Amino acid sequence: MKIAQIAPPWITVPPAGYGGTEWVVQQLCDGLSDRGHEVTLFASGDSHTRATLRSVFPKQQPEVMGQTAFDARHVAFALAEIEAAGDFDLIHDHSGFLVIAFRRLFGRAVDRPVLHTIHCAFDAAAYGFYEQFKGAVSYNAISEYQRSQGPAGMNWAGVVYNALALEQWQYTPDKEDYLLAFGRVCEAKGFHLAIEVARRAGSKLVMAGVVQDQYADYFHERVEPHIDGRQVVYEGEVTNERKRELFAHARGFLFPILWPEPFGLVMIEAMATGTPVIALRQGSVPEVVEHGRTGFVVNGVDEMVAAVARLPEIDPRACRRSVEERFTVARMCDDYEALYRRLVG
Ligand code: UDP
């Protein structure tokens, strides 16, 4: 098949630091290209892919994330190229809202099936948007939970779980004596709760992850005052290499989220290295973590503290195996290929 993949324009594919969608797009493009599909990826010009890369912006620009003046140029460029080529079988869109909003206005040359993977949660703004455009394209959810939160009557094509490249995540059964909290440092990801849990459990906590501008106050008020460099450590935004080391050596990954996580890549990153996850029951968590096998799905801070004491019950091999069984790039590509075939007909 000849497939156009439209990534968001803000962050390199794959990302050097923060970026969930961009990892998924990278693995999907490489996986589909290896299977012989002709894939064109529209993304920032400093991306690396085995697909053909096309870009209007030479470099990533996370500092203007969400500004329509950039988004619109990226999407208009992609659609113009797709129209000029005239022979794409399918458009798989991972970018924001523009492709969907203007789908009905595409010229006939771009009259191809459009699959849009929803990578975000259904907050009030997103819900209103998808309600208005529920039939404009075919939609894919990244968890059953996410799909259940959409407006009635959405044109769902399926649910395809995200994945990771297992070979990048070293299985490490020998752990060191710290708990890990990792991701965007913000209230929704519950870093302040991770600190409380680690303290009450008498454990060292290592935290790492980007502090985006809009969450600077949260960091300064709720996280930073607790950092002492011994029991509570914060390493900032780290390289991919350091990230993988941190996951691999942690005795447990804390995920005390306070929002309806649509998937939560960090959970499978932990599990791939053999590190169990202790997570609050929110969003996709019960689908990703098998309670008692790959970690603990709990209902509050007290239960989270109690679960830390039960970490030795979890076999690191079971964590790794769960990713091998459910979250490989091959499985994700199989699932998307099946959807594409159905849509292309
Ligand atoms: N990530 C990273 N550096 C950071 C923060 C996050 O590399 O400072 C990565 C993280 O490992 C994961 C992705 O970005 O691969 C975030 O995806 P996830 O689904 O966990 O959460 P999101 O932030 O998209 O809600």
Side-chain angles (χ1 to χ4, degrees):
M1 272 184 249
K2 183 163 174 175
I3 304 159
Q5 300 277 349
I6 306 180
W10 325 112
I11 295 177
T12 315
V13 174
Y18 169 67
T21 303
E22 291 76 10
W23 272 116
V24 172
V25 169
Q26 190 252 343
Q27 286 146 9
L28 182 62
C29 287
D30 283 4
L32 293 171
S33 301
D34 290 349
R35 289 170 182 215
H37 295 289
E38 204 182 320
V39 183
T40 299
L41 168 63
F42 296 93
S44 78
D46 48 357
S47 297
H48 295 281
T49 177
R50 293 204 276 276
T52 301
L53 177 65
R54 299 293 298 146
S55 325
V56 68
F57 299 116
K59 283 211 266 206
Q60 68 162 2
Q61 36 194 351
E63 65 285 356
V64 293
M65 195 179 296
Q67 288 185 30
T68 310
F70 298 90
D71 208 2
R73 286 176 62 191
H74 170 69
V75 167
F77 170 82
L79 293 177
E81 291 235 330
I82 292 165
E83 181 172 26
D87 60 351
F88 278 94
D89 295 304
L90 177 124
I91 300 168
H92 188 173
D93 177 41
H94 308 265
S95 70
F97 300 107
L98 293 171
V99 171
I100 300 165
F102 297 106
R103 172 70 184 99
R104 291 213 171 85
L105 307 179
F106 292 1
R108 243 198 275 146
V110 219
D111 192 15
R112 297 284 183 272
V114 176
L115 178 67
H116 176 91
T117 293
I118 302 179
H119 290 277
C120 63
F122 282 105
D123 61 16
Y127 189 94
F129 177 86
Y130 288 112
E131 182 154 59
Q132 184 170 340
F133 294 103
K134 58 190 167 197
V137 301
S138 298
Y139 290 103
N140 178 67
I142 53 176
S143 63
E144 295 291 344
Y145 175 84
Q146 186 201 39
R147 173 165 154 154
S148 75
Q149 297 302 294
M154 260 186 85
N155 183 26
W156 291 111
V159 174
V160 178
Y161 285 138
N162 288 335
L164 53 70
L166 264 177
E167 66 280 6
Q168 294 174 347
W169 298 86
Q170 181 81 38
Y171 171 62
T172 310
D174 297 325
K175 302 302 186 185
E176 292 171 23
D177 196 11
Y178 67 89
L179 299 169
L180 176 69
F182 190 95
R184 287 183 288 127
V185 181
C186 60
E187 183 160 14
K189 300 284 182 179
F191 279 73
H192 59 294
L193 296 181
I195 294 170
E196 186 184 338
V197 169
R199 281 233 174 104
R200 285 177 50 189
S203 175
K204 177 174 176 179
L205 175 71
V206 177
M207 301 180 288
V210 63
V211 180
Q212 295 168 319
D213 287 349
Q214 66 267 40
Y215 303 117
D217 288 349
Y218 167 79
F219 176 73
H220 294 312
E221 286 161 24
R222 315 274 304 272
V223 177
E224 199 173 37
H226 303 288
I227 299 168
D228 61 15
R230 291 190 318 278
Q231 197 191 355
V232 179
V233 174
Y234 172 62
E235 295 200 1
E237 189 173 11
V238 297
T239 62
N240 284 319
E241 199 186 2
R242 180 65 183 148
K243 164 170 88 170
R244 290 170 189 149
E245 263 172 31
L246 285 172
F247 274 106
H249 295 288
R251 67 189 179 95
F253 175 63
L254 299 183
F255 201 44
I257 45 167
L258 297 172
W259 78 314
E261 188 73 45
F263 182 80
L265 275 173
V266 286
M267 291 186 281
I268 63 171
E269 292 170 349
M271 282 154 46
T273 66
T275 295
V277 178
I278 305 176
L280 289 184
R281 185 182 303 281
Q282 290 271 5
S284 61
V285 162
E287 289 172 67
V288 177
V289 179
E290 294 164 75
H291 183 75
R293 179 174 179 241
T294 59
F296 299 100
V297 181
V298 298
N299 294 307
V301 166
D302 291 348
E303 284 187 29
M304 214 171 211
V305 174
V308 172
R310 294 183 59 194
L311 279 171
E313 293 172 26
I314 304 293
D315 182 351
R317 272 172 309 189
C319 299
R320 176 78 174 186
R321 207 170 300 131
S322 172
V323 180
E324 288 165 353
E325 288 162 2
R326 305 176 63 213
F327 302 115
T328 61
V329 174
R331 193 274 310 146
M332 180 172 74
C333 289
D334 286 347
D335 290 355
Y336 274 123
E337 268 186 318
L339 283 191
Y340 296 168
R341 285 214 187 86
R342 267 202 351 250
L343 293 175
V344 169

